[in-house]
Amino acid sequence: MPTLYHAPQSRSTVIVALVHELGDPADLDIVRVTIPRQDGSGAPDPQNPHPEKKVPVLVDGDGMIRERGAIIVWLTERYPSDLAPLPGQPGRGAFLSWLFWYQGVFEPVAILDFLDISHPALTASFRDVSTAVAQVQAALQDRPYLLGDRYSAADLLVAGAFAFFRQMIPDSGPIAAWVDRCQDRDSIRRAAADDGEGDG
Ligand SMILES: N[C@@H](CCC(=O)N[C@@H](CS)C(=O)NCC(=O)O)C(=O)O
Protein backbone atom coordinates (compact mmCIF):
# COMPACT_ATOMS: atom_id res chain seq x y z
CA MET A 1 0.00 0.00 0.00
CA PRO A 2 1.51 3.40 -0.95
CA THR A 3 1.95 5.75 2.00
CA LEU A 4 2.42 9.48 1.59
CA TYR A 5 4.07 11.31 4.46
CA HIS A 6 2.64 14.80 4.68
CA ALA A 7 3.03 17.85 6.90
CA PRO A 8 0.19 20.39 6.64
CA GLN A 9 0.95 23.71 4.95
CA SER A 10 4.17 22.52 3.41
CA ARG A 11 5.47 21.37 0.05
CA SER A 12 3.63 18.08 0.55
CA THR A 13 0.25 19.83 0.31
CA VAL A 14 0.53 19.87 -3.48
CA ILE A 15 0.90 16.09 -3.43
CA VAL A 16 -2.23 15.78 -1.29
CA ALA A 17 -3.99 17.87 -3.96
CA LEU A 18 -2.65 15.44 -6.57
CA VAL A 19 -4.06 12.52 -4.57
CA HIS A 20 -7.45 14.27 -4.65
CA GLU A 21 -7.07 14.87 -8.41
CA LEU A 22 -6.40 11.14 -8.81
CA GLY A 23 -9.70 10.34 -7.14
CA ASP A 24 -8.36 9.53 -3.67
CA PRO A 25 -7.18 5.98 -4.44
CA ALA A 26 -8.53 3.69 -1.72
CA ASP A 27 -5.21 1.90 -1.21
CA LEU A 28 -3.22 5.09 -0.68
CA ASP A 29 -2.62 6.13 2.87
CA ILE A 30 -1.68 9.65 4.00
CA VAL A 31 0.28 9.87 7.24
CA ARG A 32 0.77 13.22 8.93
CA VAL A 33 4.21 13.95 10.31
CA THR A 34 5.79 16.95 11.95
CA ILE A 35 8.68 18.93 10.51
CA PRO A 36 10.73 21.78 11.96
CA ARG A 37 9.02 25.09 11.06
CA GLN A 38 10.71 28.42 10.41
CA ASP A 39 9.06 29.93 13.49
CA GLY A 40 10.91 27.40 15.66
CA SER A 41 7.92 25.14 16.21
CA GLY A 42 7.74 21.51 15.12
CA ALA A 43 10.47 18.91 14.97
CA PRO A 44 11.69 16.07 12.76
CA ASP A 45 9.29 13.17 13.13
CA PRO A 46 10.80 9.79 13.99
CA GLN A 47 8.13 8.04 11.91
CA ASN A 48 9.12 9.99 8.77
CA PRO A 49 11.17 7.64 6.53
CA HIS A 50 12.69 10.49 4.49
CA PRO A 51 16.48 10.35 4.97
CA GLU A 52 16.47 14.06 5.93
CA LYS A 53 13.01 13.91 7.58
CA LYS A 54 11.56 16.18 4.90
CA VAL A 55 8.17 16.03 3.23
CA PRO A 56 6.80 14.89 0.95
CA VAL A 57 8.02 11.35 0.78
CA LEU A 58 6.17 8.36 -0.62
CA VAL A 59 6.79 4.75 0.33
CA ASP A 60 5.42 2.15 -2.04
CA GLY A 61 6.49 -1.45 -1.55
CA ASP A 62 10.26 -1.34 -1.37
CA GLY A 63 10.35 2.05 -3.13
CA MET A 64 11.04 5.26 -1.23
CA ILE A 65 10.37 8.23 -3.47
CA ARG A 66 11.43 11.74 -2.53
CA GLU A 67 11.13 15.04 -4.46
CA ARG A 68 7.75 16.22 -5.66
CA GLY A 69 8.54 15.78 -9.34
CA ALA A 70 9.47 12.14 -8.81
CA ILE A 71 6.42 11.53 -6.60
CA ILE A 72 4.19 13.05 -9.28
CA VAL A 73 5.67 10.75 -11.92
CA TRP A 74 5.29 7.74 -9.64
CA LEU A 75 1.70 8.43 -8.63
CA THR A 76 0.48 9.41 -12.10
CA GLU A 77 1.93 6.18 -13.50
CA ARG A 78 0.51 4.09 -10.68
CA TYR A 79 -2.94 5.64 -11.02
CA PRO A 80 -3.30 6.47 -14.73
CA SER A 81 -5.61 9.41 -15.45
CA ASP A 82 -5.81 12.35 -17.80
CA LEU A 83 -3.49 14.29 -15.47
CA ALA A 84 -0.34 12.97 -17.10
CA PRO A 85 0.69 11.43 -20.40
CA LEU A 86 2.12 7.95 -19.84
CA PRO A 87 5.30 6.67 -21.55
CA GLY A 88 4.73 6.58 -25.30
CA GLN A 89 1.85 9.04 -25.22
CA PRO A 90 1.99 12.51 -26.81
CA GLY A 91 3.13 15.18 -24.39
CA ARG A 92 5.19 12.82 -22.22
CA GLY A 93 8.46 14.61 -23.00
CA ALA A 94 7.00 18.03 -22.19
CA PHE A 95 5.43 16.66 -19.01
CA LEU A 96 8.71 15.26 -17.69
CA SER A 97 10.61 18.35 -18.82
CA TRP A 98 8.35 20.70 -16.84
CA LEU A 99 8.63 18.58 -13.69
CA PHE A 100 12.42 18.27 -13.86
CA TRP A 101 12.87 21.92 -14.86
CA TYR A 102 10.71 22.90 -11.91
CA GLN A 103 12.82 20.92 -9.45
CA GLY A 104 16.21 21.66 -10.97
CA VAL A 105 15.82 25.28 -12.04
CA PHE A 106 12.61 27.05 -11.22
CA GLU A 107 12.37 26.52 -7.49
CA PRO A 108 16.08 27.21 -6.79
CA VAL A 109 15.87 30.39 -8.88
CA ALA A 110 12.66 31.52 -7.15
CA ILE A 111 14.18 31.00 -3.70
CA LEU A 112 17.44 32.74 -4.58
CA ASP A 113 15.46 35.66 -5.98
CA PHE A 114 13.23 35.83 -2.90
CA LEU A 115 16.37 35.93 -0.72
CA ASP A 116 17.96 38.50 -3.03
CA ILE A 117 20.98 36.26 -3.60
CA SER A 118 22.84 36.54 -6.86
CA HIS A 119 26.20 35.36 -8.15
CA PRO A 120 27.58 35.19 -11.70
CA ALA A 121 28.11 31.42 -11.38
CA LEU A 122 24.50 30.93 -10.29
CA THR A 123 23.24 33.07 -13.12
CA ALA A 124 25.42 31.25 -15.64
CA SER A 125 23.95 27.93 -14.55
CA PHE A 126 20.36 28.68 -13.59
CA ARG A 127 19.81 32.00 -15.43
CA ASP A 128 17.38 34.14 -13.42
CA VAL A 129 13.75 34.63 -12.49
CA SER A 130 12.90 36.66 -15.59
CA THR A 131 14.29 33.91 -17.81
CA ALA A 132 12.38 31.27 -15.85
CA VAL A 133 9.13 33.21 -15.92
CA ALA A 134 9.60 33.83 -19.65
CA GLN A 135 9.70 30.05 -20.24
CA VAL A 136 6.27 29.65 -18.65
CA GLN A 137 4.94 32.74 -20.38
CA ALA A 138 6.04 31.44 -23.78
CA ALA A 139 4.47 28.03 -23.14
CA LEU A 140 1.12 29.61 -22.24
CA GLN A 141 1.07 32.09 -25.12
CA ASP A 142 -1.27 30.04 -27.28
CA ARG A 143 -2.62 27.41 -24.90
CA PRO A 144 -4.47 27.34 -21.57
CA TYR A 145 -2.14 24.84 -19.87
CA LEU A 146 1.53 23.86 -20.04
CA LEU A 147 0.83 20.76 -22.11
CA GLY A 148 -1.89 22.28 -24.27
CA ASP A 149 -5.65 22.16 -23.81
CA ARG A 150 -5.53 19.78 -20.88
CA TYR A 151 -4.72 20.52 -17.24
CA SER A 152 -1.95 18.24 -16.01
CA ALA A 153 0.03 17.52 -12.88
CA ALA A 154 2.77 19.76 -14.32
CA ASP A 155 0.36 22.71 -14.01
CA LEU A 156 -0.43 21.65 -10.47
CA LEU A 157 3.24 21.82 -9.47
CA VAL A 158 4.40 24.88 -11.41
CA ALA A 159 1.32 27.06 -10.93
CA GLY A 160 1.35 26.19 -7.23
CA ALA A 161 4.77 27.80 -6.93
CA PHE A 162 3.51 30.98 -8.60
CA ALA A 163 0.59 31.00 -6.18
CA PHE A 164 3.13 30.89 -3.34
CA PHE A 165 5.62 33.36 -4.84
CA ARG A 166 2.92 35.70 -6.15
CA GLN A 167 5.42 38.51 -6.66
CA MET A 168 6.77 36.52 -9.62
CA ILE A 169 3.48 36.80 -11.52
CA PRO A 170 3.92 39.38 -14.29
CA ASP A 171 1.39 42.23 -14.47
CA SER A 172 0.54 41.31 -18.03
CA GLY A 173 0.51 38.12 -20.03
CA PRO A 174 -1.14 34.75 -19.53
CA ILE A 175 0.41 33.65 -16.21
CA ALA A 176 -1.97 35.39 -13.78
CA ALA A 177 -5.08 33.87 -15.38
CA TRP A 178 -3.42 30.45 -15.64
CA VAL A 179 -2.47 30.50 -11.93
CA ASP A 180 -6.05 31.43 -11.03
CA ARG A 181 -7.38 28.66 -13.29
CA CYS A 182 -5.07 26.08 -11.74
CA GLN A 183 -5.82 27.17 -8.17
CA ASP A 184 -9.57 27.20 -8.76
CA ARG A 185 -9.95 23.45 -8.39
CA ASP A 186 -11.65 21.27 -5.79
CA SER A 187 -8.40 19.37 -5.21
CA ILE A 188 -6.61 22.56 -4.16
CA ARG A 189 -9.47 23.72 -1.93
CA ARG A 190 -9.76 20.27 -0.33
CA ALA A 191 -6.01 20.00 0.32
CA ALA A 192 -6.03 23.46 1.93
CA ALA A 193 -9.08 22.57 4.02
CA ASP A 194 -7.49 19.27 5.11
CA ASP A 195 -4.42 21.20 6.24
CA GLY A 196 -6.54 23.52 8.34
CA GLU A 197 -7.77 20.59 10.42
CA GLY A 198 -5.24 20.00 13.18
CA ASP A 199 -1.60 20.90 13.36
CA GLY A 200 1.34 19.21 11.80
N1 LIG B 1 13.02 19.51 -3.05
C1 LIG B 1 12.10 18.92 -2.10
C2 LIG B 1 11.93 19.90 -0.98
C3 LIG B 1 11.33 19.25 0.25
C4 LIG B 1 11.33 20.21 1.44
O1 LIG B 1 12.27 21.01 1.59
N2 LIG B 1 10.28 20.14 2.27
C5 LIG B 1 10.19 20.97 3.44
C6 LIG B 1 8.73 21.32 3.72
S1 LIG B 1 8.16 22.71 2.85
C7 LIG B 1 10.65 20.19 4.66
O2 LIG B 1 10.37 19.01 4.76
N3 LIG B 1 11.31 20.85 5.60
C8 LIG B 1 11.72 20.25 6.84
C9 LIG B 1 13.20 20.13 6.95
O3 LIG B 1 13.91 20.66 6.08
O4 LIG B 1 13.64 19.51 7.90
C10 LIG B 1 10.77 18.63 -2.84
O5 LIG B 1 10.44 19.37 -3.78
O6 LIG B 1 10.06 17.67 -2.50
Side-chain angles (χ1 to χ4, degrees):
M1 166 195 274
T3 303
L4 172 69
Y5 292 83
H6 163 58
Q9 283 141 26
S10 77
R11 285 177 174 85
S12 57
T13 298
V14 74
I15 303 297
V16 173
L18 174 66
V19 169
H20 293 329
E21 288 282 354
L22 293 171
D24 299 301
D27 64 340
L28 192 157
D29 203 17
I30 298 180
V31 171
R32 279 191 180 202
V33 291
T34 58
I35 52 168
R37 304 285 180 166
Q38 296 210 341
D39 63 3
S41 67
D45 197 320
Q47 67 175 328
N48 184 350
H50 190 292
E52 297 171 43
K53 304 278 179 235
K54 290 186 172 208
V55 291
V57 65
L58 180 78
V59 175
D60 193 1
D62 60 6
M64 198 275 299
I65 307 100
R66 59 192 281 185
E67 299 298 318
R68 283 165 295 166
I71 294 172
I72 288 172
V73 171
W74 186 279
L75 288 178
T76 53
E77 284 182 2
R78 202 181 201 290
Y79 305 103
S81 68
D82 58 5
L83 279 182
L86 295 175
Q89 293 182 342
R92 177 73 175 174
F95 177 67
L96 293 179
S97 297
W98 282 115
L99 297 182
F100 281 71
W101 174 80
Y102 175 86
Q103 296 279 181
V105 177
F106 185 83
E107 188 167 297
V109 161
I111 292 173
L112 291 168
D113 183 71
F114 179 73
L115 298 174
D116 207 14
I117 293 172
S118 150
H119 186 281
L122 289 172
T123 314
S125 177
F126 293 110
R127 311 289 189 254
D128 53 23
V129 156
S130 347
T131 310
V133 170
Q135 310 304 301
V136 178
Q137 206 146 11
L140 296 171
Q141 216 48 250
D142 56 357
R143 53 183 64 185
Y145 296 108
L146 293 175
L147 300 190
D149 291 334
R150 200 173 87 187
Y151 174 80
S152 78
D155 297 290
L156 173 64
L157 183 64
V158 183
F162 276 97
F164 188 76
F165 292 112
R166 289 207 84 91
Q167 73 280 3
M168 286 192 325
I169 301 177
D171 292 336
S172 60
I175 293 183
W178 164 73
V179 172
D180 289 348
R181 212 160 35 246
C182 295
Q183 293 300 108
D184 184 19
R185 297 182 69 90
D186 282 348
S187 62
I188 302 285
R189 283 185 283 274
R190 282 185 58 207
D194 298 343
D195 277 3
E197 297 161 8
D199 59 10

